[in-house]
Amino acid sequence: MQLSLSVGGLVFQFAVDRKVTADTEYTPFLCPGENPDVCITFRPDDNADECETAVSYDGAEVQVRYHPCIEGHFAALRGCLIHTPVEQILLLHNRFFLHASFIASSFGGLLFTGNSGVGKSTQAELWREHRSSEIINGDRAIVAKEENGWRAYGSPYAGSSGYFVRADAPIRAIILLEQAQENRVTAVSTSEAFKKLFLQVSLNHSQPEQINRLCDLLMALISAVPIYRLRCTPDVRAVQVLEVALRKGELHETG
């Protein structure tokens, strides 16, 4: 059986030797008939150590060998993805997961990121309620370096947010959130932006080559896309302050 899934602007084609169902959050990303960018083949192998994967140098071909004792893991698309090195594949295509709430606004794509509990979902909801923005993903967006610039994509990984929309937008800005009593937007130094964003990227940190590739991508992103710090309250005032900053487009770094 073959299933095709749109992930970060790439078509992943899964070839599995059994019927596979698509979980609710994956259904919007199904794209039958589209030419695949990544072909993933699953096959049982009595000699496999549970599950083993091999990825081609360009991320276009992936072989997944699994022991028959775990064949039940591949009954649903969720299980197929869990056993697929998606993060590695995305990196090979100049993409990565960013822990962020991603909205499509009148300014373009905005990514709210920061530590858990800082208010990413709250800020996204405020923009939806007060500025009619669309929430594309509430937990893990995909950031992509493409020929015409940087774009963000929705993904099936929505966490508890319930937002898993197949849509994308050019990135207007990435917003590093901090809770505060008053609202203020400032620019962020390159070193701080790198450190903050690196901590919010989903990646296997045991692979040095993947870390090096990610570092290169992050530096390219920071040089091309505005990174702002938003000290904010959980109400419409935060929207208003950020809106003014986005219109001005230039900020000075502050400590």
Side-chain angles (χ1 to χ4, degrees), residues 140-161:
R140 280 206 289 171
I142 297 173
V143 174
K145 182 184 181 184
E146 300 183 340
E147 289 184 3
N148 58 349
W150 289 86
R151 298 187 75 83
Y153 288 83
S155 83
Y157 302 96
S160 60
S161 73

Side-chain angles (χ1 to χ4, degrees), residues 12-251:
F12 283 50
Q13 185 181 82
F14 297 84
V16 191
D17 64 337
R18 64 193 65 254
K19 183 178 180 180
V20 177
T21 60
D23 310 89
T24 301
E25 65 269 35
Y26 296 104
T27 301
F29 297 87
L30 292 175
C31 51
E34 296 188 25
N35 294 328
D37 300 290
V38 183
C39 296
I40 307 163
T41 303
F42 294 79
R43 65 181 182 87
D45 187 336
D46 290 334
N47 296 317
D49 183 14
E50 284 211 352
C51 190
E52 303 172 8
T53 61
V55 182
S56 64
Y57 75 95
D58 59 356
E61 300 284 342
V62 181
Q63 298 289 330
V64 180
R65 298 168 51 242
Y66 63 91
H67 194 278
C69 69
I70 67 164
E71 64 181 14
H73 293 194
F74 307 104
L77 193 49
R78 183 196 304 273
C80 294
L81 277 168
I82 288 173
H83 291 87
T84 299
V86 177
E87 296 163 352
Q88 178 184 355
I89 295 167
L90 289 177
L91 271 178
L92 290 171
H93 292 270
N94 294 321
R95 290 155 163 77
F96 58 86
F97 283 111
L98 182 67
H99 184 46
S101 288
F102 164 37
I103 68 169
S105 73
S106 59
F107 295 95
L110 300 178
L111 293 160
F112 297 99
T113 188
N115 296 332
S116 295
V118 76
K120 296 180 292 293
S121 297
T122 297
Q123 294 301 318
E125 289 287 355
L126 288 170
W127 276 79
R128 182 190 64 79
E129 179 182 355
H130 297 285
R131 295 297 182 269
S132 300
S133 299
E134 181 181 13
I135 302 177
I136 305 300
N137 188 275
D139 187 61
R140 280 206 289 171
I142 297 173
V143 174
K145 182 184 181 184
E146 300 183 340
E147 289 184 3
N148 58 349
W150 289 86
R151 298 187 75 83
Y153 288 83
S155 83
Y157 302 96
S160 60
S161 73
Y163 292 104
F164 40 87
V165 179
R166 182 186 175 185
D168 58 273
I171 301 175
R172 173 61 181 83
I174 298 176
I175 317 300
L176 307 177
L177 295 179
E178 295 180 11
Q179 295 179 348
Q181 297 299 314
E182 299 293 335
N183 295 284
R184 187 183 182 196
V185 181
T186 57
V188 182
S189 68
T190 297
S191 59
E192 182 180 2
F194 180 90
K195 179 176 66 175
K196 297 286 189 182
L197 291 176
F198 185 87
L199 293 174
Q200 300 305 325
V201 174
S202 177
L203 184 67
N204 181 355
H205 288 85
S206 67
Q207 301 294 326
E209 67 277 8
Q210 294 185 37
I211 295 176
N212 291 338
R213 191 176 185 96
L214 171 64
C215 289
D216 290 341
L217 277 176
L218 283 178
M219 290 305 297
L221 173 68
I222 292 166
S223 68
V225 172
I227 314 293
Y228 297 154
R229 179 194 294 109
L230 174 61
R231 297 185 174 100
C232 58
T233 57
D235 53 53
V236 70
R237 292 176 296 165
V239 175
Q240 294 165 344
V241 168
L242 179 56
E243 196 172 40
V244 170
L246 292 169
R247 286 200 181 108
K248 290 181 178 178
E250 292 185 5
L251 295 171

